[in-house]
Amino acid sequence: MHLAQLARRGFAAAVLCGAGFAFAADLPNVTILATGGTIAGTGATSTTTVGYTAAKIGVEKLIEAVPELKTIANVKGEQVFQIASENMTNDYWLTLAKRVNTLLRQSDVDGIVITHGTDTIEETAYFLNLVVKSDKPVVIVGAMRPATAISADGPINLFNAVGVAGSKDAKGRGVLVALNDEIQGAREVTKTSTMLANTFRAPELGNLGYVVRGQPMFYRASTRKHTTATEFDISRLDKLPEVDIVYGYANAKRLPVDAFVAAGDAGLVHAGTGNGSLANPVKEALKEARAKGVVIVRSSRTGSGITARNGEANDDELDFVAADNLNPQKARILLMLALTRTHDTGEIQRMFQTY
Ligand code: DGL
């Protein structure tokens, strides 16, 4: 019985089904860490695909709804937290990353799947891509339709994600995002549609591969350093530096920059028009912020392409950092982690060319 049927029947069947999973020595051991999102969402009817409530179903019921999991892995579940992912925070990230690293140090864990809301999957994925200290697969999965909907995509996405997380071929590729039969790299993946099942794309660069019959098929790999090859260590951190994003648009004002600086931000990312362009009032505010020690990164709101150093602004003269091809929300993550190690803009620029 699948999740949609279980959810529609008030999960009574989940108890009756009690799909226990017997251990199989020849299968990989995969731990599923649940955090919420639409994959755990419920709606009033089977046709409610918007206006449902995310983060309602617990990890055990997610697992019980896909009995086929036991044919590809020995699965255990943990509910790390239960949120709609627009409410993700730095603190949740530190909790999740520390749990992932603890589990991956265990010899009886071969891979991890994280169930997550799709709104900020790309951010959690990139954060973990920079701080997970293992080459074992970490696969983040979500759904675009709630568990109660006709053709809910959660169950098949979960089955595929477990298949990838249990595969030796997925080792050493960094954190992966698997939905809609595709495998995306954490660094380049982004949510491109508010509603469509194929919302996760890697603009201009494409996916890393596909999932077929629950097994990964890879065709390329990221060229940037990740996981065990990064210099970032969050094991002793209880807090991350405050970094926010200022959006660029016609008639943009300096007010948001001044507000974040007054709030004590350590860094700011500017989501500029075009190739990271700065409107004059904003540029002046960012120059003043820089003079106060705030580290500034220029990114672009366009969604793809490289924000080139010394292109639309003289970064050498301004002492700003160019984001390379990281979108603003990912540039924020790298800048936060960079600031745990240095405030030197030359060193930070090196990091943006490395990760
Ligand atoms: N509230 C959104 C989230 O938790 C729902 C989107 C989803 O999970 O697909 O990210």
Side-chain angles (χ1 to χ4, degrees):
M1 180 176 292
H2 284 281
L3 192 56
Q5 295 163 298
L6 292 182
R8 278 201 294 277
R9 301 186 183 182
F11 312 119
V15 176
L16 297 177
C17 170
F21 289 81
F23 179 82
D26 61 331
L27 292 179
N29 301 325
V30 174
T31 299
I32 297 175
L33 300 180
T35 73
T38 293
I39 194 169
T42 59
T45 74
S46 62
T47 55
T48 306
T49 54
V50 290
Y52 55 84
T53 306
K56 298 295 284 182
I57 299 168
V59 65
E60 290 312 326
K61 290 193 175 52
L62 293 177
I63 294 170
E64 287 169 8
V66 189
E68 295 84 352
L69 291 176
K70 64 178 179 290
T71 67
I72 57 172
N74 299 307
V75 171
K76 288 181 183 173
E78 291 183 17
Q79 193 77 43
V80 187
F81 38 82
Q82 180 77 288
I83 62 169
S85 78
E86 63 270 28
N87 295 317
M88 188 58 71
T89 64
N90 293 352
D91 292 344
Y92 280 130
W93 276 344
L94 288 172
T95 299
L96 180 61
K98 288 173 181 175
R99 185 60 187 148
V100 167
N101 279 328
T102 298
L103 283 167
L104 291 179
R105 282 193 291 270
Q106 296 175 199
S107 59
D108 63 345
V109 174
D110 298 310
I112 286 179
V113 166
I114 298 169
T115 60
H116 193 293
T118 60
D119 286 8
T120 58
I121 271 190
E122 64 195 82
E123 299 179 53
T124 299
Y126 189 50
F127 178 73
L128 293 176
N129 203 47
L130 296 171
V131 302
V132 164
K133 294 305 167 190
S134 171
D135 65 355
K136 294 178 182 176
V138 175
V139 183
I140 310 188
V141 65
M144 291 302 287
R145 298 187 196 100
T148 46
I150 303 169
S151 304
D153 52 332
I156 187 62
N157 286 349
L158 182 59
F159 177 78
N160 285 345
V162 169
V164 177
S167 168
K168 290 185 173 57
D169 197 14
K171 286 188 75 170
R173 293 182 183 270
V175 172
L176 303 171
V177 173
L179 281 88
N180 201 46
D181 301 332
E182 287 190 278
I183 304 171
Q184 304 281 358
R187 184 180 184 278
E188 286 90 21
V189 68
T190 188
K191 185 172 181 179
T192 63
S193 169
T194 58
M195 294 180 67
L196 300 182
N198 71 341
T199 183
F200 285 102
R201 321 302 298 156
E204 297 180 344
L205 298 172
N207 65 36
L208 301 184
Y210 305 95
V211 192
V212 181
R213 297 190 185 92
Q215 291 306 305
M217 294 180 69
F218 289 101
Y219 297 85
R220 65 184 194 87
S222 177
T223 60
R224 293 298 177 92
K225 288 185 177 180
H226 53 72
T227 57
T228 54
T230 83
E231 58 204 279
F232 306 116
D233 176 4
I234 50 90
S235 59
R236 292 183 177 79
L237 291 182
D238 294 320
K239 191 165 175 50
L240 290 167
E242 285 300 329
V243 174
D244 286 291
I245 301 171
V246 176
Y247 203 74
Y249 48 88
N251 202 48
K253 301 174 183 63
R254 58 174 292 154
L255 182 62
V257 176
D258 295 339
F260 283 131
V261 172
D265 274 17
L268 283 177
V269 174
H270 182 258
T273 52
N275 198 309
S277 307
L278 301 168
N280 289 332
V282 176
K283 186 175 180 180
E284 285 313 305
L286 290 173
K287 282 168 69 174
E288 291 170 26
R290 184 71 199 109
K292 292 174 182 172
V294 179
V295 176
I296 309 298
V297 174
R298 283 193 310 114
S299 179
S300 169
R301 73 177 197 180
T302 56
S304 64
I306 295 170
T307 300
R309 184 171 179 83
N310 296 326
E312 280 294 327
N314 189 331
D315 296 305
D316 288 349
E317 188 178 282
L318 293 163
D319 195 23
F320 290 176
V321 174
D324 189 78
N325 72 337
L326 287 179
N327 67 29
Q329 54 269 33
K330 297 198 181 189
R332 171 185 168 269
I333 292 163
L334 181 51
L335 179 54
M336 267 196 310
L337 289 170
L339 290 170
T340 66
R341 297 187 59 81
T342 180
H343 278 67
D344 178 283
T345 51
E347 265 296 279
I348 296 173
Q349 186 66 73
R350 171 190 61 78
M351 295 175 183
F352 273 82
Q353 310 302 348
T354 304
Y355 302 111

